[in-house]
Structures are given as C-alpha cells and as structure tokens.
Amino acid sequence: MRVPNEIIKIANDIRGMRIRGAGRIARTAANALKLASELYEGTSVNEYVNYMRKVSDILLNTRPTAVSLPNAINFIMSRLLRNIDKIGDINEAKAIVRNAADEFIKRSKKALELIGEIGARRIRDGDIILTHCNSSAALSIIIRAHEMGKDIRVFATETRPRFQGLITVKVLAEKGIRVSLVPDSAIRLIMKKIDKVIVGADAIAANGAVVNKIGTSQIALIAHEARVRVFVAAETYKFSPATVIGELITIEERSPDEVIPKEKLSKYVRIKVRNPAFDVTPPEYVDAIITEQGIIPPQAAILILKEEYGWIIKDYLFKLSSEDEEEVTTK
Ligand code: RUB
C-alpha cells in the first residue's frame, strides 16, 4: 500500500520546521505512526509490517539530528517486531502500534512535567537565567520555578537564523515572567549578569556531550569562562544509543536561504553560505543534565543509556561481533 498523503504532509511539516523542537518532533512521529496504522486498509500482517517500515523511513528522513525521532520510532516499531510471531491478525498488530504510540506520548508529556519539577528546585529566588533557542524542556523548568513563586528574570537569545528565541520570549512574557531578548552575539557582554544557563538538547552522546541548537557551545564556553553553571534539560529519549558504539550524531546542514535569501545572495559572487543547525557542547562545559529520572552529571549519560536502551545497545554489539566473524571467514 502506498504511504498516505497525510503522512507525507506531516513529514514535510517536520522537514520545513513547521513542527520543530526535538520533543515535539518525537511525539508527532509517534502520532504519525499511529495514524498511518489506522489508515492501513489491507489484511496481511507481513505487508502491514513492510508498510509501517516504509512510513518509519519517511519520518526518519526528515531531520537527522534530533535523536528523539529514531528513539520514538524504535519505541513503537520494536514492540511490533518483537511480537511479530505471536500476532494473530491485522487488528492485533494495529493495537500494538496504537498502544505503543499512546504510551510514548504519555511518557513524553510526563517527562516534561517531571523535568520542570526537578529542575525548578535548582532555581533560586532572584536568579537571572539565560536560555537559547526554544526548548520545551528548558521552558518547563523556568515556568515551574515562576509558578513556585520564585522571582526570576530571563534573557533569551534571538537564535539566528530561524529566530526561535522569539517564540521563547513570547511564551515567557505570556506567563508573566520578566524576559529580555538579546542578539546571539551579545552573550559574552551579558554573561556577567547571568546566574544559570538552561538549554534543551536534540541529542546527548554516551560521553555526555550535548547536541543542541547552533550557538549553544559558544554560550557554554562563555559561561565556563565566567564560572556560570550550565544546565541541560533533556528527556531520556534524547540520549543516543548509537554513540555507545562510537557513532557520531549527524549535524543537520540546512538551506543557505535561511541565512541570506536567494535574491540577495545573487548580488555576491563566489560566496558559499553555510548553515549548520546544531553544534556539540563537550561534557566539560555542562554542569548537569536534568532528566525525568533526576539530575545527572554529563559523565553519567552512559548509565541512562544502559538502563533505557540496553536492549538496542546489545543488538548493536551483536551485529558488530557477527560482522567481525564474517570478516574473519571471508579473509
Ligand atoms: C530546537 C532546539 C531545541 C531542542 C530541544 O531546534 O535546538 O533546543 O530541540 O527542544 P529546531 P525540546 O528549532 O531546529 O528544531 O526541549 O522542545 O525538545
């Protein structure tokens, strides 16, 4: 069966950033799998599995950096594939996908709430916080601290070239939080005022390195210089199991049009415009990662990975060792 237009539209919305932010991308993908499953009209379980794999690939090919996307898809598809021998008919297969998608979305929303609760306890009355881009996990902490009655002030960067900082300031101002918008380039000047940096994450590697919106690593470096603490708010489904075996997280390179519109660029010759969308902050520049399971030092990322994704990691290691065997026998 061909992939329905509704799914192609969702994939295009993620690619075009009409749906954005790692957590939201993950929940949207879970919903898309559920919708695709409901729209499937055939009766063969095998064909259904192939169709669901195709839908998964289309969703996976939208944005490469947010690890929440493959983690959400794996959460659902692994439940289907693990039970494949026991599935009697198509309705049973569809029920597995529906329940897994609902469970993922429910857990994801609960995680955001818990991160808010846990993180807000780290905020002191009078704190001045700096945030970058637009992260629902980081906002959950800031908003919860405000709800607890703490008197806080926030600086938010514009976050060029897509200006997600404008969403952040709007949300915070609507909550009644005092907030100032600053250009990305003003960070070193204003860092003197800041008590804590709180940002989100698209991916966290096994060594605790944090991948987030371009500019995050500069902010962390400047914070380090000024002895300001850097907190990363991230659900456990932002942790990347593939990094345990040394895979790198792909940094998305987006269209140059986002930096300078085509008509303007044509006035300049022999210029290449680059637009990397994310960067990597080394663990040394991160003080703590706030997850729904508690606060961990970045160096403990591997423990979260072992607990949450031990089964995937075992799978990777098994594949690697069978590749080794193949190499030996073909030599
Ligand atoms: C968004 C971004 C956010 C993380 C975390 O990038 O870098 O900080 O995705 O967000 P983009 P959340 O706008 O390119 O998607 O905490 O909402 O998951």
Side-chain angles (χ1 to χ4, degrees), residues 48-68:
Y48 168 78
V49 169
N50 288 338
Y51 159 84
M52 289 303 288
R53 282 199 161 120
K54 209 161 134 189
V55 171
S56 301
D57 285 344
I58 289 172
L59 293 167
L60 284 169
N61 280 324
T62 51
R63 294 194 73 189
T65 303
V67 170
S68 53

Side-chain angles (χ1 to χ4, degrees), residues 198-239:
I198 306 180
V199 291
D202 274 75
I204 293 178
N207 68 349
V210 171
V211 179
N212 191 46
K213 180 52 57 192
I214 191 84
T216 304
S217 69
Q218 283 178 54
I219 294 176
L221 191 65
I222 293 168
H224 186 74
E225 177 196 46
R227 298 176 60 80
V228 170
R229 271 170 299 160
V230 174
F231 292 96
V232 174
E235 305 89 316
T236 50
Y237 57 79
K238 309 261 177 80
F239 288 63

